[in-house]
Amino acid sequence: MKLFLKTQVLSIIIAFFWIVYLNVLAILDQPGPILQYLNWFVYGFAILFAIIYLLLTRYMVGHKWLAIPLVILPYLMIYQPILERILLSIVSKSYGMTINFLSLSTGATHLMAILLGLVFGIINTNRYIRKEHNR
Protein backbone atom coordinates (compact mmCIF):
# COMPACT_ATOMS: atom_id res chain seq x y z
CA MET A 1 0.00 0.00 0.00
CA LYS A 2 2.91 2.30 0.74
CA LEU A 3 4.31 1.84 -2.77
CA PHE A 4 0.94 2.64 -4.33
CA LEU A 5 0.63 5.85 -2.32
CA LYS A 6 4.19 6.92 -3.19
CA THR A 7 3.64 6.25 -6.89
CA GLN A 8 0.42 8.27 -6.90
CA VAL A 9 2.12 11.20 -5.21
CA LEU A 10 4.93 10.95 -7.78
CA SER A 11 2.36 10.84 -10.58
CA ILE A 12 0.65 13.99 -9.28
CA ILE A 13 4.02 15.75 -8.99
CA ILE A 14 4.83 14.80 -12.59
CA ALA A 15 1.44 16.12 -13.75
CA PHE A 16 2.10 19.37 -11.91
CA PHE A 17 5.49 19.69 -13.62
CA TRP A 18 3.72 19.07 -16.96
CA ILE A 19 1.51 22.10 -16.30
CA VAL A 20 4.56 24.19 -15.35
CA TYR A 21 6.31 22.96 -18.52
CA LEU A 22 3.36 23.99 -20.69
CA ASN A 23 3.04 27.41 -19.07
CA VAL A 24 6.73 28.23 -19.41
CA LEU A 25 6.72 27.17 -23.05
CA ALA A 26 3.53 29.15 -23.71
CA ILE A 27 5.09 32.27 -22.18
CA LEU A 28 8.21 31.78 -24.30
CA ASP A 29 6.08 31.19 -27.41
CA GLN A 30 4.88 34.79 -27.51
CA PRO A 31 5.46 36.36 -30.93
CA GLY A 32 8.96 37.60 -31.35
CA PRO A 33 12.50 36.44 -31.97
CA ILE A 34 12.37 33.68 -29.33
CA LEU A 35 10.09 31.49 -31.48
CA GLN A 36 12.98 30.15 -33.54
CA TYR A 37 14.70 28.89 -30.37
CA LEU A 38 11.63 27.19 -28.89
CA ASN A 39 12.87 23.69 -29.75
CA TRP A 40 15.96 24.28 -27.61
CA PHE A 41 13.72 25.20 -24.70
CA VAL A 42 11.53 22.12 -25.24
CA TYR A 43 14.49 19.75 -25.14
CA GLY A 44 16.28 21.68 -22.41
CA PHE A 45 13.26 21.54 -20.13
CA ALA A 46 12.76 17.87 -20.99
CA ILE A 47 16.32 17.11 -19.89
CA LEU A 48 15.88 19.18 -16.73
CA PHE A 49 12.62 17.45 -15.85
CA ALA A 50 14.11 14.01 -16.64
CA ILE A 51 16.81 14.73 -14.06
CA ILE A 52 14.18 15.89 -11.56
CA TYR A 53 12.11 12.74 -12.20
CA LEU A 54 15.24 10.61 -11.79
CA LEU A 55 15.92 12.13 -8.37
CA LEU A 56 12.27 11.89 -7.29
CA THR A 57 12.09 8.25 -8.38
CA ARG A 58 15.32 7.43 -6.66
CA TYR A 59 14.29 8.88 -3.31
CA MET A 60 10.54 8.24 -3.32
CA VAL A 61 10.11 4.84 -4.97
CA GLY A 62 13.49 3.14 -4.84
CA HIS A 63 14.38 -0.03 -6.71
CA LYS A 64 10.88 -1.24 -7.62
CA TRP A 65 10.12 -1.85 -11.30
CA LEU A 66 6.40 -2.08 -10.59
CA ALA A 67 6.47 1.67 -10.02
CA ILE A 68 6.75 2.45 -13.74
CA PRO A 69 3.22 1.36 -14.72
CA LEU A 70 1.87 2.60 -11.38
CA VAL A 71 3.16 6.08 -12.22
CA ILE A 72 2.65 6.25 -15.99
CA LEU A 73 -0.91 4.90 -16.27
CA PRO A 74 -2.55 7.17 -13.64
CA TYR A 75 -0.54 10.10 -14.96
CA LEU A 76 -1.75 9.57 -18.54
CA MET A 77 -5.33 8.61 -17.71
CA ILE A 78 -6.21 10.69 -14.67
CA TYR A 79 -3.90 13.44 -13.43
CA GLN A 80 -2.54 14.98 -16.63
CA PRO A 81 -5.93 15.35 -18.37
CA ILE A 82 -7.61 16.72 -15.24
CA LEU A 83 -4.89 19.29 -14.53
CA GLU A 84 -4.75 20.30 -18.18
CA ARG A 85 -8.54 20.84 -18.28
CA ILE A 86 -8.35 22.92 -15.13
CA LEU A 87 -5.56 25.01 -16.65
CA LEU A 88 -7.47 25.50 -19.90
CA SER A 89 -10.59 26.55 -18.01
CA ILE A 90 -8.82 29.35 -16.12
CA VAL A 91 -6.81 30.90 -18.97
CA SER A 92 -7.95 33.01 -21.89
CA LYS A 93 -8.98 31.41 -25.17
CA SER A 94 -5.89 32.47 -27.16
CA TYR A 95 -3.52 31.39 -24.39
CA GLY A 96 -5.48 28.14 -24.09
CA MET A 97 -5.04 27.48 -27.80
CA THR A 98 -1.29 27.98 -27.41
CA ILE A 99 -1.21 25.60 -24.45
CA ASN A 100 -3.29 23.04 -26.35
CA PHE A 101 -0.94 23.25 -29.34
CA LEU A 102 2.14 22.90 -27.13
CA SER A 103 0.52 20.00 -25.30
CA LEU A 104 0.04 18.13 -28.55
CA SER A 105 3.41 18.98 -30.03
CA THR A 106 5.62 18.42 -26.97
CA GLY A 107 3.71 15.62 -25.24
CA ALA A 108 5.87 12.83 -26.67
CA THR A 109 9.06 14.61 -25.62
CA HIS A 110 7.80 15.01 -22.07
CA LEU A 111 6.64 11.38 -21.94
CA MET A 112 10.13 10.25 -22.99
CA ALA A 113 11.61 12.45 -20.25
CA ILE A 114 9.29 10.80 -17.72
CA LEU A 115 10.20 7.30 -18.86
CA LEU A 116 13.93 8.04 -18.89
CA GLY A 117 13.73 9.63 -15.45
CA LEU A 118 11.78 6.71 -14.00
CA VAL A 119 13.92 3.98 -15.54
CA PHE A 120 17.26 5.57 -14.71
CA GLY A 121 16.01 6.50 -11.24
CA ILE A 122 15.15 2.87 -10.57
CA ILE A 123 18.40 1.62 -12.07
CA ASN A 124 20.42 4.20 -10.14
CA THR A 125 18.93 3.19 -6.79
CA ASN A 126 21.10 0.75 -4.92
CA ARG A 127 18.69 -1.88 -3.69
CA TYR A 128 21.14 -3.50 -1.24
CA ILE A 129 21.76 -0.31 0.70
CA ARG A 130 18.01 0.38 0.62
CA LYS A 131 17.25 -3.06 2.16
CA GLU A 132 19.79 -2.56 4.94
CA HIS A 133 18.43 0.91 5.63
CA ASN A 134 14.84 -0.39 5.94
CA ARG A 135 15.76 -2.99 8.57
Side-chain angles (χ1 to χ4, degrees), residues 10 14 52-63 67 114 117-122 125 130:
L10 183 60
I14 290 173
I52 291 170
Y53 301 150
L54 180 145
L55 295 172
L56 285 172
T57 302
R58 184 175 179 191
Y59 293 112
M60 286 182 69
V61 178
H63 194 79
I114 293 169
L118 288 173
V119 168
F120 285 115
I122 290 171
T125 304
R130 200 85 148 135

Side-chain angles (χ1 to χ4, degrees), residues 98-115:
T98 303
I99 287 177
N100 197 16
F101 169 73
L102 289 170
S103 172
L104 293 173
S105 63
T106 63
T109 305
H110 190 256
L111 185 61
M112 286 303 296
I114 293 169
L115 288 173

Side-chain angles (χ1 to χ4, degrees), residues 31-103:
I34 199 74
L35 188 60
Q36 60 187 345
Y37 302 110
L38 189 62
N39 283 338
W40 290 103
F41 287 113
V42 169
Y43 295 122
F45 284 128
I47 291 170
L48 174 71
F49 286 140
I51 292 169
I52 291 170
Y53 301 150
L54 180 145
L55 295 172
L56 285 172
T57 302
R58 184 175 179 191
Y59 293 112
M60 286 182 69
V61 178
H63 194 79
K64 294 178 176 70
W65 288 99
L66 180 62
I68 292 176
L70 289 177
V71 170
I72 294 293
L73 291 177
Y75 164 75
L76 290 174
M77 294 181 178
I78 301 170
Y79 304 123
Q80 186 261 345
I82 289 174
L83 285 179
E84 193 172 339
R85 275 191 224 125
I86 291 171
L87 175 66
L88 291 174
S89 69
I90 60 174
V91 297
S92 67
K93 188 173 181 173
S94 64
Y95 192 74
M97 289 174 51
T98 303
I99 287 177
N100 197 16
F101 169 73
L102 289 170
S103 172

